[in-house]
Amino acid sequence: MKLLKSIKQKTYEQIFKAVKENDKQKFRDLFLRLHDRDQHEVFHLLYPDKKRKISEFLTAEEFSEIFEWMDTEDQESAVQYLPDAYMAEVFNFMAADDVARFLSESEETDNQTLLAMMDEEESQRVKELLSYEPETAGSIMTKEFIAIHNTETMSEVVQRLRQIGRRAETIYYLYVIDRQDKLVGVLSLRDLLLSPEDEIVGKIMSNQAVSVRINDDQEDVARLIQDYDLLAIPVLSSDGKMQGIVTVDDVMDIIEAETTEDFNEFAAISRGDDDRRKPSAFSTAKSRIPWIIILLFLGTITGSLIGVFEETLESVVLLAAFIPMIMDTAGNVGTQSLAVAVRNLTVDDEKDRDGLFQTIKTELGAGMLMGVAASLVLALMITLFYKNFVLAMIISASMFITISLSTVIGAIIPSIITKFKIDPAVASGPFITTINDSLGLLIYFSIATLLLEFL
């Protein structure tokens, strides 16, 4: 590994030297040997004045392959430092969905100027994608797909594939349409190659083509591709006509983005709509302050509970030693239950969509079993170390009830929120933890007060 890094570093240094010396041939010899990802890294490391030379060293087609690997900030740097005419030509060689994604994410690019300089046909494709609602199938689809007619022979399809295949996003699926451009089936590359040359497409194609509508949510599209193990899925208009395809690489980006968004919301650190960019201190604080204020008010409830049961604490001071354990366990169990409940609600899988009652029933059962195990361990430990059977009963009973109810709280809140058609991820970890902390303390001190009165 160290040897490979050393070789890579030396290559980079030679490339930087070639740029400095304006040695175009040496730059191309070294640079074009690199993987696209490494080429992107080289561009990122170049000084601004050196980045401007890229338009002289690489063709627009060559740079278009590098541009697709860049994050939005590096793409904006490329548009800033390279001539508009050159970048317009770069966009002509890129897939329309990649261009549309960049233009929709970038805040510093003059979209209209670049679109006006592009080829008319390519520009119209990009404008069409930009016209769809964000986070829908239409906004993430690509127009570069291969459509064939059900009356064509296999030899005719192969001939067409040789002519236009390089311009398509994928050639592993060929989409079969009728004379009205409506999707009627799909032909895999495997079936194409293994079928007789004079066979008609309509006889070989699969009629069970999984598809989505142009206004379907991108998360639903991602789940379909995931559930059916597809490399791409066709996107249809309301009347069933082929409009484009969504490929698995785009879906992977969507799943990653949605998972990150849910994680941020669980932790109450959601960045809002502009989460692709590095947040400033002000924007980060702004997104977290409401949660902090809410949790401060909820935290006062916890403090008040300790004050209410002050007499109980004074009679058995040792009770205070177990307060952190009760609170931590309640919060941790609730957060685990929350994660499971939200997944059951958001994953489009019939086996997981058991409804509110089934979710509560499952989590309560699991909580009771965990509570029994924790209670037995605590009862044994406290009896052995403290020689106090009453204290062992108080803590064991409190732990059993707290764990059982904490799982229910963690499961029921996102379920209820979903009934009101609100994203369940807003039931964040800190919120659940604070509620369960207060609940655990209330149970703990209530049981302690009752037992101490009767014993």
Side-chain angles (χ1 to χ4, degrees):
M1 182 64 72
K2 288 183 179 180
L3 178 60
L4 289 175
K5 287 184 177 180
S6 176
I7 295 173
K8 182 177 177 180
Q9 186 60 38
K10 288 181 180 178
T11 303
Y12 282 14
E13 290 174 358
Q14 290 176 326
I15 291 174
F16 297 149
K17 184 179 179 181
V19 175
K20 184 178 180 180
E21 297 175 351
N22 289 320
D23 191 337
K24 178 179 177 179
Q25 191 57 49
K26 183 178 181 181
F27 173 87
R28 290 180 58 82
D29 289 343
L30 295 170
F31 186 83
L32 295 178
R33 294 179 193 172
L34 299 175
H35 187 275
D36 293 346
R37 189 257 178 210
D38 295 327
Q39 291 175 348
H40 160 225
E41 186 176 15
V42 169
F43 180 82
H44 177 78
L45 294 173
L46 287 172
Y47 290 119
D49 61 317
K50 302 297 189 294
K51 287 180 179 178
R52 294 187 176 93
K53 296 183 178 181
I54 290 297
S55 60
E56 303 171 12
F57 292 173
L58 297 175
T59 66
E61 183 175 7
E62 291 168 340
F63 188 70
S64 67
E65 297 176 4
I66 307 168
F67 192 86
E68 293 177 356
W69 279 83
M70 297 179 182
D71 55 30
T72 303
E73 291 183 7
D74 280 336
Q75 288 178 332
E76 287 178 336
S77 295
V79 173
Q80 177 184 353
Y81 295 124
L82 298 174
D84 288 346
Y86 179 80
M87 286 308 307
E89 193 65 22
V90 169
F91 288 165
N92 286 334
F93 285 106
M94 291 173 57
D97 61 319
D98 291 328
V99 178
R101 185 184 303 111
F102 164 68
L103 294 179
S104 62
E105 292 177 2
S106 176
E107 296 180 350
E108 302 178 3
T109 304
D110 186 350
N111 296 358
Q112 297 305 318
T113 298
L114 287 172
L115 287 171
M117 297 178 71
M118 291 175 61
D119 291 344
E120 181 63 25
E121 184 178 353
E122 295 295 330
S123 178
Q124 287 301 322
R125 288 184 177 184
V126 175
K127 289 178 181 178
E128 178 187 343
L129 297 181
L130 291 172
S131 68
Y132 296 118
E133 287 293 323
E135 299 187 356
T136 61
S139 67
I140 61 172
M141 72 180 181
T142 179
K143 305 289 290 184
E144 287 79 14
F145 65 92
I146 296 179
I148 58 177
H149 288 278
N150 52 1
T151 56
E152 292 184 87
T153 64
M154 296 298 166
S155 60
E156 290 173 337
V157 173
V158 170
Q159 187 62 33
R160 285 187 58 205
L161 197 60
R162 288 172 179 164
Q163 294 173 353
I164 64 174
R166 292 185 181 276
R167 299 199 297 269
E169 184 82 5
T170 178
I171 62 171
Y172 299 108
Y173 294 135
L174 309 178
Y175 299 97
V176 187
I177 58 176
D178 59 18
R179 294 184 178 181
Q180 287 76 42
D181 292 334
K182 293 185 178 181
L183 182 69
V184 294
V186 61
L187 181 69
S188 69
L189 184 62
R190 177 188 178 91
D191 291 336
L192 172 63
L193 295 176
L194 297 180
S195 300
E197 292 184 357
D198 58 350
E199 190 65 83
I200 301 297
V201 168
K203 295 183 179 179
I204 304 297
M205 70 180 188
S206 171
N207 295 311
Q208 306 300 321
V210 180
S211 62
V212 295
R213 296 293 175 173
I214 207 158
N215 291 319
D216 286 352
D217 187 271
Q218 64 178 14
E219 287 190 68
D220 296 332
V221 177
R223 292 191 195 109
L224 275 176
I225 290 181
Q226 191 175 33
D227 290 344
Y228 287 90
D229 291 329
L230 301 174
L231 295 177
I233 192 168
V235 180
L236 310 182
S237 61
S238 57
D239 57 358
K241 293 183 179 181
M242 266 295 279
Q243 298 296 312
I245 60 172
V246 176
T247 55
V248 69
D249 58 326
D250 294 325
V251 163
M252 291 173 65
D253 294 337
I254 292 166
I255 293 174
E256 180 182 359
E258 296 293 346
T259 301
T260 301
E261 179 183 344
D262 288 345
F263 174 80
N264 288 338
E265 289 180 341
F266 286 153
I269 56 173
S270 178
R271 297 179 184 175
D273 296 332
D274 197 25
D275 59 358
R276 296 184 183 94
R277 298 177 175 274
K278 295 179 180 179
S280 65
F282 178 78
S283 62
T284 300
K286 182 181 177 181
S287 66
R288 299 184 190 181
I289 283 175
W291 282 101
I292 296 299
I293 301 301
I294 292 172
L295 295 177
L296 281 175
F297 280 107
L298 291 176
T300 59
I301 298 175
T302 303
S304 300
L305 285 172
I306 296 177
V308 170
F309 293 98
E310 186 176 352
E311 293 183 6
T312 304
L313 268 176
E314 289 178 351
S315 60
V316 184
V317 179
L318 191 57
L319 288 171
F322 295 93
I323 290 176
M325 180 184 68
I326 295 291
M327 294 176 65
D328 289 346
T329 303
N332 292 337
V333 169
T335 302
Q336 289 176 332
S337 182
L338 168 69
V340 173
V342 171
R343 181 187 182 279
N344 288 348
L345 291 167
T346 55
V347 174
D348 190 16
D349 185 2
E350 291 301 324
K351 293 182 293 184
D352 293 329
R353 287 180 165 265
D354 298 323
L356 176 59
F357 176 76
Q358 183 61 40
T359 300
I360 295 174
K361 179 181 176 182
T362 301
E363 290 301 316
L364 177 60
M368 292 177 69
L369 291 174
M370 291 188 293
V372 168
S375 298
L376 291 175
V377 172
L378 283 173
L380 180 62
M381 290 176 59
I382 294 171
T383 302
L384 290 176
F385 288 107
Y386 295 96
K387 311 297 182 183
N388 190 330
F389 181 69
V390 175
L391 181 63
M393 288 180 60
I394 292 172
I395 295 174
S396 297
S398 300
M399 186 61 73
F400 171 76
I401 298 174
T402 298
I403 291 179
S404 300
L405 293 183
S406 292
T407 56
V408 175
I409 295 296
I412 198 171
I413 288 182
S415 299
I416 293 174
I417 287 177
T418 302
K419 297 296 180 181
F420 290 97
K421 297 183 179 180
I422 301 174
D423 189 346
V426 299
S428 61
F431 185 64
I432 295 293
T433 299
T434 305
I435 291 178
N436 283 342
D437 286 350
S438 300
L439 178 66
L441 279 182
L442 179 62
I443 294 169
Y444 182 43
F445 285 125
S446 297
I447 291 175
T449 302
L450 288 172
L451 286 180
L452 290 174
E453 286 180 358
F454 288 103
L455 295 176

